[in-house]
Amino acid sequence: MLRVGIIGATGYAGAELVRILAGHPHVELTTLTSRQYVSERFDAIYPALRGVVDMVCEAYNPDVICDKADFFFTALPHKLPMAYVPELLARDKRVVDLSADFRIKDAAVYEAHYQPHTAKDLLAQAVYGLTEIYREQIKAAVLIGNPGCYPTSVLLPLAPLLRADLIDGEHLVADSKSGVSGAGRAPSLGTHYCEVNESYRAYKVATHRHNPEMEQILTEQAQKPVPLVFVPHLVPMSRGMLSTIYAVVRPGVSAADIRACLHDFYKDAPCVRICPDGGVPDTRNVRGTNFCDIGWHLDEKRNRLILMAAIDNLVKGAAGQAVQNMNIMAGFDEIAGLDHVPYPV
Amino acid sequence: MLRVGIIGATGYAGAELVRILAGHPHVELTTLTSRQYVSERFDAIYPALRGVVDMVCEAYNPDVICDKADFFFTALPHKLPMAYVPELLARDKRVVDLSADFRIKDAAVYEAHYQPHTAKDLLAQAVYGLTEIYREQIKAAVLIGNPGCYPTSVLLPLAPLLRADLIDGEHLVADSKSGVSGAGRAPSLGTHYCEVNESYRAYKVATHRHNPEMEQILTEQAQKPVPLVFVPHLVPMSRGMLSTIYAVVRPGVSAADIRACLHDFYKDAPCVRICPDGGVPDTRNVRGTNFCDIGWHLDEKRNRLILMAAIDNLVKGAAGQAVQNMNIMAGFDEIAGLDHVPYPV
Amino acid sequence: MLRVGIIGATGYAGAELVRILAGHPHVELTTLTSRQYVSERFDAIYPALRGVVDMVCEAYNPDVICDKADFFFTALPHKLPMAYVPELLARDKRVVDLSADFRIKDAAVYEAHYQPHTAKDLLAQAVYGLTEIYREQIKAAVLIGNPGCYPTSVLLPLAPLLRADLIDGEHLVADSKSGVSGAGRAPSLGTHYCEVNESYRAYKVATHRHNPEMEQILTEQAQKPVPLVFVPHLVPMSRGMLSTIYAVVRPGVSAADIRACLHDFYKDAPCVRICPDGGVPDTRNVRGTNFCDIGWHLDEKRNRLILMAAIDNLVKGAAGQAVQNMNIMAGFDEIAGLDHVPYPV
Amino acid sequence: MLRVGIIGATGYAGAELVRILAGHPHVELTTLTSRQYVSERFDAIYPALRGVVDMVCEAYNPDVICDKADFFFTALPHKLPMAYVPELLARDKRVVDLSADFRIKDAAVYEAHYQPHTAKDLLAQAVYGLTEIYREQIKAAVLIGNPGCYPTSVLLPLAPLLRADLIDGEHLVADSKSGVSGAGRAPSLGTHYCEVNESYRAYKVATHRHNPEMEQILTEQAQKPVPLVFVPHLVPMSRGMLSTIYAVVRPGVSAADIRACLHDFYKDAPCVRICPDGGVPDTRNVRGTNFCDIGWHLDEKRNRLILMAAIDNLVKGAAGQAVQNMNIMAGFDEIAGLDHVPYPV
């Protein structure tokens, strides 16, 4: 059994890690840290898990927790992992970081959108944990920068088509929608029930921090600069994310080409499901699971490919993909602990 | 007092007409027809209106109802109005039709997306009831083809910019989202609570019937063919619609140009509110009202204008705009009966 | 026009007062105070009201605001009104207080459930503003203790039956359910979207502060001590409250007796609607309105009367009833400004 | 591996059985029947299960399906199981029936609330499948009448206290609330999204068919007639049920007595969790799980015990309890296949 610790276990992504790892066949959860709930039982904070997890939260102390665990997830607001991760790596631990701190290769880009980076030397060795695209690098990684939820939903459908040069890198638009849990557990006016219910709105229009993260990977996949117009929206639901993506297709590209490209690229990917022709992904169908469901429609009259990708923002968009990456790093079955059967309703 | 009848009063759009007209200062509701609820009290079907409306539904009989009313709203599924409207006009009544039957000027386009048209001779005289754009023609109209909800939310932000040639007619994308009431009151699996709740999905991807309706008007406004890529989505909420629209701006166009164009065009329009810079429209803010809130953001780095428009699909997207058109046709204050103060929460 | 000020205008109840009074035919809103948003436009806080209300929030200063207004609503957390109301009354203003500070006649009871009372001398003259029950006293009042939302929904159905001695004062149970707006606008974990959505739970079980408020009035109406078992619950919706009340009927009391009692008592009350036999009240039917819908069922086999009352917690449960009381105090039509036509859906 | 068939697999309870059994370690799903979807893939009806279940629905034919499976669940509307179950038992199969057909011992009571019973001879041998109460009888059963969702949530908290005579059998009130999935998958106006959202109402007030089912078991547990006043309500959420139950306590009974009774009774029950003192059950905490969470509060001032029980209506209230019963009948671990880790949010 791999001894695993979760640093920042009481936020939504951390708690989702607890949920998944509590049922993982090859993992023993040995330490949960929390800043807010030191010495409190985890199941007092999340009563859903009473009778399932009986651990007590502890403060972050690298010496103590590194005695207990060999693999760590850091589920913290960005900036904190920059301080913690070097301490963990120095003790020969492997880490999947769910924040933005190790996702962006160019420190200047990171610093333009976040804050000064204090662990730049780790950026080169960090692997971007978009599993289906970087599986080979992940196998050998000691540090994963786990992707953001929006990037996961936008990059998985686009990467194969850009690689195959079936779509133009110009005029890419991603109109994305997220459930409220993506905003985390800390109360705010923006996540107050009455302010979200019966409401639909965009936010951070073309200014969201996931935009450069996506452009970095798109550019890498296309091997030339790919600008992405990106607008996130908030949907009155707890979990789920859908990105609707608009791309101009290369001349002569047919629906059959699109279909073949997507099916071929993901034929061995257990967490990606390509919808049948005419089918559309629905956030409800991936709720609680590590699936990314991808649908597509070619608007031939207007020469535009419409891609749609649905994920659970807390699973494939955060904790699930993090565990998928751990599985690969540890040599486990890629979906160990992730074979949750989704609710039919 | 204008004597008004509603043909098809018990669907959601019809009932919303009843709601608005019950509080209209210059209107007397004199007849409500229903196919399903003949001889039943309206407030037995909609108990919310007990003590407010005490009318009984009757069957559609043109001779009977034309004795009672001088102005009619037809809130029926398309195809029925083609049969009824000629009978009403023949009796010198004026009509606002909320279906698609009289929106599309080219009968061939209509027939390609709906069914054979049996009242083609009326298409030329029907006025497209997008109030802020066709106000002058509406004044003299006897028959209004009231716009669909999606077209209203897409056309109001785009029309001024296309007219002013600030945006390119190419590469237009409208990613629209609707609350569930847009699907009407008839039960179906797609509107079953458990199938919508915690769900987000697209539908009729690039194949929705409102697409040609929008392209007709965009083309007319731009005076050249304007293709529109259009994807509607279903949001787990009852009322509200938001369209996010992506347009390429003409070289040299600045944020100041966009701002000035929108503010100037709508400076005398009581039902359109342009958001302050940086503000985003929210469906919650227009709930129950005839407002269309428009926000915009210029992504200068990627040369893309993002427009967002929020309406209540049942009000500005249906019944409210219909009443606004009636007000103009009858010489009333444009917002008579539409000065509903929105809920703060 | 009555010059009216709202002290605490930016909470949910205060904003609802703004909404209602903005459309009141005999009222001019002249001052809005806020602790949090001094010098900010009200419509920047509540964009729904852009174009409807163009006032700026000011700090509470009795000298300044008493120059501007003759009638005040205090929509503040309890404890603050105890300090403010004496200053307003001393300047010959009339006040409707929406907090608990002036609802409970016995200062000792108040202090046992809230905190020390610093304006006890006003308790005797304060009138409990349950309009339909205390209409006569309200006419002459200068200070109203406006009822809580739960008490309004529980007392309106029970008062007539207790007065008429049709039900036993023993074994009364009120199982009440509230939408989330009842918890106010301040963000908290308990009102975080993800913690409320798809959730149903009781809270403050048999320990809610509205319990003594209700027992005070029930006891007064029955003219003997009436204990009430009371459990509030939180419902995943923004607005609305339903109380289901269980009472043992007196021997020999029939359904006809119940029906006659309720219809007779409320025959001239414009804001109370008794459901037809077999009908049940639904929070949706009173949304945004000042109606209290009352339904009832006599379980003859088990000798129990079941009463159900639905209100909008922010309207008849707070701001609407406050305006209803103002109307009566000022000699206006009782429902002036309150004739909002409810949404059919 | 036990070969299992589900008769009526495409309703919500049937699909939930598929979800649970697809992950059951000792079960092989061998046949799914459907009346509506014969020859269709199950995952075309429930796309959430794509990649998880690849079976095709077939028509009910006892000869065919009895060749395939040795244990059956019937998840059908009542009346149909009366016809099917005798055919299955005649072929030496064991059956858990999720309808009401085999729950009520007294055929006259059944017929008064449902319809004529055509398999009365099986009533005596059918065991009421409230697992924690009838575990011993279930072990030897060949036919289980699986409890309704409301009865499960009401009986589990009451049974121990009635057996121990800590509460009075008089004045019992159960105020229950259900998510919408309890109404099934067939579309109707009552389950239309817009009719449920932002709505809260009672239904079948004191006339629900689960009432006699509950009184039968309460009477059996108390060994004297126990009337139960019962009012179900509909909550705007998909899954979840909470019953709030009011009971008069016997003289001298203390909080410690209640606590000890509940903890002792359920100390070996893996699916029942007694909340810590002051804790309240929340439907969210049991979502997707077979847990029944029970909370309680003694209102000493008013001599009333308040019990609250939360279940997932589709799991412990239907499919999960059915599988729990199968596990016991088959000699498996009681919670095999039911160790689903609940979502923290």
Side-chain angles (χ1 to χ4, degrees):
Chain A
M1 299 291 273
L2 181 65
R3 300 183 311 155
V4 171
I6 300 170
I7 300 172
T10 56
Y12 284 158
E16 192 72 4
L17 282 165
V18 174
R19 193 261 293 184
I20 293 168
L21 294 172
H24 195 291
H26 309 311
V27 160
E28 183 188 7
L29 263 182
T30 53
T31 175
L32 306 179
T33 84
S34 171
R35 292 169 294 157
Q36 194 178 354
Y37 297 105
V38 173
S39 302
E40 292 192 41
R41 285 180 62 94
F42 185 81
D43 67 0
I45 307 157
Y46 287 100
L49 290 160
R50 280 209 306 136
V52 179
V53 172
D54 65 356
M55 299 176 73
V56 171
C57 299
E58 60 184 311
Y60 172 77
N61 178 325
D63 287 330
V64 173
I65 65 173
C66 285
D67 269 359
K68 296 186 182 177
D70 299 308
F71 196 105
F72 286 96
F73 294 90
T74 43
L76 298 161
H78 54 79
K79 189 171 185 186
L80 283 174
M82 284 193 278
Y84 293 0
V85 166
E87 300 177 331
L88 300 169
L89 296 186
R91 286 165 177 82
D92 285 332
K93 307 302 181 183
R94 282 177 294 176
V95 180
V96 174
D97 175 42
L98 281 76
S99 85
D101 284 2
F102 300 101
R103 292 176 193 161
I104 294 177
K105 290 296 167 201
D106 183 339
V109 171
Y110 178 89
E111 296 187 337
H113 292 87
Y114 295 88
Q115 71 267 306
H117 204 297
T118 61
K120 290 177 196 173
D121 54 310
L122 294 179
L123 291 177
Q125 78 177 100
V127 173
Y128 189 71
L130 189 63
T131 322
E132 286 74 11
I133 309 297
Y134 297 99
R135 192 181 274 112
E136 288 310 308
Q137 296 94 309
I138 291 165
K139 283 180 184 168
V142 295
L143 171 59
I144 297 285
N146 211 58
C149 46
Y150 285 120
T152 298
S153 70
V154 169
L155 297 171
L156 286 178
L158 278 177
L161 299 162
L162 279 174
R163 283 193 189 191
D165 201 33
L166 297 181
I167 56 173
D168 194 344
E170 297 294 307
H171 301 302
L172 279 185
V173 169
D175 186 294
S176 296
K177 303 87 179 175
S178 175
V180 185
S181 60
R185 187 171 180 260
S188 70
L189 190 59
T191 58
H192 188 299
Y193 185 85
C194 302
E195 305 286 321
V196 171
N197 185 37
E198 286 290 295
S199 160
Y200 189 90
R201 61 179 183 272
Y203 67 99
K204 295 184 186 165
V205 178
T207 59
H208 194 283
R209 286 164 163 178
H210 285 174
N211 212 333
E213 179 182 333
M214 292 189 274
E215 288 175 330
Q216 163 184 281
I217 306 298
L218 292 173
T219 294
E220 187 179 310
Q221 295 294 313
Q223 296 183 294
K224 64 172 185 187
V226 177
L228 177 73
V229 178
F230 172 59
V231 180
H233 301 73
L234 191 66
V235 183
M237 60 184 185
S238 290
R239 284 169 178 254
M241 171 167 286
L242 187 100
S243 287
T244 310
I245 305 158
Y246 301 85
V248 175
V249 290
R250 293 286 187 208
V253 169
S254 69
D257 298 329
I258 303 294
R259 183 187 306 111
C261 174
L262 290 171
H263 279 274
D264 187 58
F265 192 90
Y266 288 117
K267 65 179 184 296
D268 298 322
C271 295
V272 176
R273 301 189 294 195
I274 310 297
C275 291
D277 283 18
V280 289
D282 185 327
T283 61
R284 198 161 57 88
N285 292 337
V286 297
R287 204 169 196 265
T289 80
N290 203 48
F291 287 121
C292 175
D293 281 5
I294 297 176
W296 59 278
H297 177 90
L298 184 58
D299 183 349
E300 296 188 338
K301 183 174 170 195
R302 301 173 191 91
N303 191 37
R304 193 74 52 144
L305 175 65
I306 296 144
L307 294 159
M308 296 154 283
I311 60 172
D312 184 320
N313 56 300
L314 291 178
V315 191
K316 185 61 176 171
Q321 185 153 255
V323 171
Q324 190 182 5
N325 288 328
M326 178 202 74
N327 284 339
I328 288 171
M329 294 161 79
F332 302 149
D333 178 18
E334 184 175 328
I335 59 165
L338 294 169
D339 55 350
H340 174 75
V341 182
Y343 300 166
V345 73
Chain B
M1 299 291 271
L2 181 64
R3 301 184 311 156
V4 171
I6 301 170
I7 300 172
T10 56
Y12 283 159
E16 193 72 3
L17 282 166
V18 174
R19 193 262 292 183
I20 294 169
L21 294 173
H24 195 292
H26 309 311
V27 160
E28 184 188 7
L29 264 182
T30 52
T31 176
L32 306 179
T33 84
S34 171
R35 290 170 294 157
Q36 195 177 354
Y37 297 105
V38 173
S39 302
E40 292 192 40
R41 283 181 63 95
F42 184 80
D43 66 2
I45 307 159
Y46 287 100
L49 291 161
R50 279 208 307 136
V52 179
V53 172
D54 65 355
M55 299 175 73
V56 172
C57 299
E58 59 185 310
Y60 171 78
N61 177 326
D63 286 329
V64 173
I65 65 174
C66 285
D67 268 358
K68 295 186 182 177
D70 299 309
F71 196 106
F72 286 95
F73 294 92
T74 43
L76 298 161
H78 55 79
K79 188 170 185 188
L80 283 175
M82 284 193 280
Y84 294 180
V85 166
E87 300 177 330
L88 301 170
L89 296 187
R91 287 166 176 81
D92 284 331
K93 307 301 178 182
R94 283 177 294 175
V95 180
V96 175
D97 174 41
L98 281 77
S99 86
D101 284 2
F102 299 101
R103 293 176 191 160
I104 295 178
K105 290 296 166 200
D106 183 339
V109 171
Y110 178 90
E111 296 186 337
H113 291 86
Y114 294 88
Q115 71 267 307
H117 204 298
T118 61
K120 289 178 197 174
D121 53 313
L122 294 179
L123 291 177
Q125 79 177 100
V127 173
Y128 189 70
L130 189 63
T131 322
E132 286 74 12
I133 308 299
Y134 297 99
R135 193 181 274 113
E136 289 310 309
Q137 296 94 311
I138 292 166
K139 283 179 186 170
V142 296
L143 171 59
I144 297 286
N146 211 57
C149 46
Y150 285 119
T152 297
S153 70
V154 169
L155 297 172
L156 286 179
L158 279 177
L161 300 162
L162 278 175
R163 281 194 191 191
D165 201 32
L166 296 181
I167 56 173
D168 194 345
E170 296 294 307
H171 300 302
L172 279 186
V173 169
D175 187 293
S176 297
K177 302 88 178 176
S178 176
V180 185
S181 60
R185 187 172 181 259
S188 70
L189 191 59
T191 58
H192 188 297
Y193 185 84
C194 301
E195 304 287 320
V196 171
N197 184 37
E198 286 291 293
S199 160
Y200 189 91
R201 62 180 182 271
Y203 67 100
K204 293 183 188 163
V205 179
T207 58
H208 194 283
R209 286 164 163 177
H210 284 175
N211 213 334
E213 179 182 334
M214 292 189 273
E215 288 176 330
Q216 164 184 283
I217 306 297
L218 292 172
T219 294
E220 187 179 311
Q221 295 293 313
Q223 296 182 295
K224 63 173 184 184
V226 177
L228 176 74
V229 177
F230 172 59
V231 180
H233 300 73
L234 191 66
V235 183
M237 61 185 184
S238 291
R239 283 170 178 254
M241 171 168 286
L242 188 100
S243 286
T244 310
I245 304 158
Y246 302 85
V248 176
V249 291
R250 293 286 187 207
V253 169
S254 69
D257 297 330
I258 304 294
R259 184 187 307 112
C261 174
L262 290 172
H263 279 273
D264 187 59
F265 192 90
Y266 288 116
K267 65 177 184 296
D268 298 321
C271 294
V272 175
R273 302 189 294 195
I274 309 297
C275 292
D277 284 18
V280 290
D282 185 326
T283 60
R284 198 161 56 88
N285 293 335
V286 297
R287 201 167 199 268
T289 80
N290 203 48
F291 287 122
C292 175
D293 281 5
I294 298 176
W296 60 277
H297 176 91
L298 184 58
D299 183 349
E300 295 188 339
K301 183 174 170 195
R302 301 174 190 88
N303 190 36
R304 194 73 53 144
L305 175 65
I306 297 144
L307 294 160
M308 295 154 282
I311 60 172
D312 184 322
N313 56 300
L314 290 179
V315 191
K316 185 62 176 170
Q321 185 152 256
V323 171
Q324 189 181 5
N325 288 328
M326 177 202 74
N327 285 338
I328 288 171
M329 294 162 80
F332 303 148
D333 179 19
E334 183 175 329
I335 59 164
L338 294 168
D339 54 351
H340 173 75
V341 182
Y343 300 166
V345 72
Chain C
M1 298 292 271
L2 182 64
R3 300 185 310 155
V4 171
I6 300 170
I7 300 172
T10 56
Y12 284 158
E16 192 73 3
L17 282 165
V18 174
R19 192 262 292 185
I20 294 169
L21 293 172
H24 195 291
H26 309 311
V27 160
E28 184 189 7
L29 265 182
T30 53
T31 176
L32 306 179
T33 84
S34 171
R35 291 170 293 157
Q36 195 177 353
Y37 297 105
V38 173
S39 302
E40 293 192 40
R41 286 179 62 94
F42 184 80
D43 66 1
I45 308 159
Y46 287 100
L49 291 160
R50 279 207 309 136
V52 179
V53 172
D54 65 355
M55 300 176 72
V56 171
C57 299
E58 61 184 311
Y60 171 77
N61 178 325
D63 287 329
V64 173
I65 66 174
C66 285
D67 269 359
K68 296 186 182 176
D70 299 309
F71 196 105
F72 286 94
F73 294 90
T74 43
L76 299 160
H78 54 80
K79 191 170 182 188
L80 283 174
M82 284 193 279
Y84 293 180
V85 166
E87 300 177 332
L88 300 170
L89 296 187
R91 286 165 177 82
D92 285 332
K93 307 301 181 185
R94 283 177 293 176
V95 180
V96 174
D97 175 41
L98 281 76
S99 86
D101 284 2
F102 299 101
R103 292 175 191 160
I104 294 177
K105 290 297 166 198
D106 183 340
V109 171
Y110 178 90
E111 295 186 337
H113 292 86
Y114 294 88
Q115 71 266 307
H117 204 296
T118 61
K120 290 177 195 171
D121 54 310
L122 294 179
L123 292 177
Q125 77 178 100
V127 172
Y128 189 72
L130 189 62
T131 322
E132 285 75 12
I133 310 298
Y134 297 99
R135 191 182 275 112
E136 288 309 309
Q137 295 95 309
I138 290 165
K139 284 180 184 168
V142 296
L143 172 58
I144 296 287
N146 210 58
C149 47
Y150 286 119
T152 297
S153 70
V154 169
L155 297 171
L156 286 178
L158 279 177
L161 299 163
L162 279 174
R163 282 193 190 190
D165 202 33
L166 297 181
I167 56 173
D168 194 345
E170 298 293 308
H171 301 302
L172 279 186
V173 168
D175 187 294
S176 296
K177 303 88 180 174
S178 176
V180 185
S181 60
R185 187 171 181 261
S188 70
L189 191 59
T191 57
H192 188 298
Y193 186 85
C194 302
E195 304 286 321
V196 171
N197 184 38
E198 285 290 296
S199 160
Y200 189 90
R201 61 180 183 270
Y203 68 99
K204 294 184 187 165
V205 179
T207 59
H208 194 282
R209 285 163 163 178
H210 284 175
N211 213 333
E213 179 182 333
M214 291 189 274
E215 288 175 329
Q216 164 185 282
I217 305 297
L218 293 173
T219 294
E220 188 178 309
Q221 295 293 314
Q223 297 184 297
K224 65 172 184 186
V226 176
L228 176 74
V229 178
F230 171 60
V231 180
H233 302 73
L234 191 67
V235 183
M237 61 184 183
S238 290
R239 285 168 176 254
M241 171 168 287
L242 188 101
S243 287
T244 311
I245 305 158
Y246 302 85
V248 175
V249 290
R250 295 287 188 206
V253 168
S254 69
D257 298 329
I258 303 294
R259 184 187 306 112
C261 174
L262 289 171
H263 279 274
D264 187 59
F265 192 89
Y266 288 116
K267 65 178 182 297
D268 298 322
C271 296
V272 175
R273 302 188 292 195
I274 309 297
C275 292
D277 283 19
V280 291
D282 185 326
T283 60
R284 198 160 57 87
N285 292 335
V286 297
R287 202 167 198 267
T289 80
N290 203 48
F291 287 121
C292 176
D293 280 5
I294 298 177
W296 59 277
H297 177 91
L298 185 59
D299 182 349
E300 295 188 339
K301 183 174 170 194
R302 301 173 190 90
N303 191 36
R304 193 74 52 143
L305 176 64
I306 296 143
L307 294 159
M308 295 153 283
I311 60 172
D312 183 321
N313 56 299
L314 290 178
V315 190
K316 185 63 177 170
Q321 185 153 254
V323 171
Q324 190 182 6
N325 288 329
M326 177 202 74
N327 284 339
I328 288 171
M329 295 162 79
F332 303 148
D333 178 18
E334 184 175 327
I335 59 165
L338 295 168
D339 54 350
H340 173 76
V341 182
Y343 300 165
V345 72
Chain D
M1 300 291 273
L2 181 64
R3 301 184 310 156
V4 171
I6 301 171
I7 301 172
T10 55
Y12 284 158
E16 193 73 4
L17 282 165
V18 173
R19 193 262 292 184
I20 294 169
L21 294 171
H24 195 291
H26 309 311
V27 160
E28 183 188 8
L29 264 182
T30 53
T31 175
L32 306 179
T33 83
S34 172
R35 291 170 293 156
Q36 195 177 354
Y37 297 105
V38 173
S39 302
E40 292 192 39
R41 284 181 63 95
F42 185 80
D43 66 2
I45 307 159
Y46 287 99
L49 290 161
R50 279 209 306 138
V52 180
V53 172
D54 65 355
M55 299 175 72
V56 171
C57 298
E58 61 184 309
Y60 171 78
N61 177 326
D63 287 328
V64 172
I65 65 175
C66 285
D67 268 358
K68 296 186 182 177
D70 299 309
F71 196 106
F72 286 94
F73 294 91
T74 42
L76 299 162
H78 53 79
K79 189 170 183 187
L80 283 175
M82 285 194 279
Y84 294 180
V85 167
E87 300 177 331
L88 301 170
L89 296 187
R91 287 164 176 81
D92 285 330
K93 308 302 179 182
R94 283 177 293 176
V95 180
V96 175
D97 174 41
L98 281 77
S99 85
D101 284 2
F102 299 101
R103 293 175 191 160
I104 294 177
K105 291 296 167 200
D106 184 339
V109 171
Y110 178 90
E111 296 186 336
H113 291 87
Y114 294 88
Q115 71 267 305
H117 204 298
T118 60
K120 290 178 197 175
D121 53 311
L122 295 178
L123 291 178
Q125 80 178 96
V127 173
Y128 189 71
L130 189 63
T131 322
E132 286 75 12
I133 309 298
Y134 297 99
R135 192 181 276 112
E136 289 310 309
Q137 296 93 309
I138 291 165
K139 283 179 186 169
V142 295
L143 171 59
I144 297 286
N146 211 58
C149 46
Y150 286 120
T152 297
S153 70
V154 169
L155 297 171
L156 286 178
L158 279 176
L161 299 163
L162 278 174
R163 282 194 190 190
D165 201 32
L166 296 181
I167 56 173
D168 194 346
E170 297 293 309
H171 301 301
L172 279 185
V173 169
D175 187 293
S176 297
K177 301 88 179 175
S178 176
V180 185
S181 60
R185 186 172 182 262
S188 70
L189 191 60
T191 58
H192 188 298
Y193 185 85
C194 301
E195 305 287 320
V196 171
N197 183 38
E198 285 291 293
S199 160
Y200 188 91
R201 62 180 183 269
Y203 67 99
K204 294 184 187 165
V205 179
T207 59
H208 194 282
R209 285 164 165 178
H210 285 175
N211 213 333
E213 179 182 334
M214 292 189 273
E215 287 175 331
Q216 164 184 283
I217 305 296
L218 293 173
T219 295
E220 187 178 311
Q221 295 293 313
Q223 297 183 296
K224 64 174 183 183
V226 176
L228 176 74
V229 177
F230 172 60
V231 180
H233 301 73
L234 191 67
V235 183
M237 60 186 184
S238 290
R239 282 169 178 254
M241 171 168 286
L242 188 101
S243 286
T244 310
I245 305 158
Y246 302 86
V248 175
V249 291
R250 294 287 188 205
V253 169
S254 69
D257 297 330
I258 303 294
R259 184 186 306 111
C261 174
L262 290 172
H263 279 274
D264 188 58
F265 192 90
Y266 288 116
K267 65 179 183 294
D268 298 322
C271 295
V272 176
R273 303 188 293 195
I274 310 296
C275 292
D277 284 17
V280 290
D282 186 327
T283 59
R284 197 161 56 90
N285 292 337
V286 298
R287 201 166 199 268
T289 81
N290 203 48
F291 287 122
C292 176
D293 281 5
I294 298 177
W296 58 277
H297 176 89
L298 185 57
D299 183 348
E300 295 188 338
K301 183 174 170 194
R302 300 174 191 89
N303 190 38
R304 194 73 54 144
L305 176 64
I306 296 142
L307 294 160
M308 295 153 284
I311 60 172
D312 183 321
N313 56 298
L314 290 179
V315 190
K316 185 63 176 169
Q321 185 152 254
V323 171
Q324 191 182 5
N325 288 328
M326 177 202 75
N327 285 338
I328 289 172
M329 294 161 79
F332 303 148
D333 179 20
E334 184 175 328
I335 58 165
L338 295 168
D339 54 352
H340 173 74
V341 182
Y343 300 166
V345 72

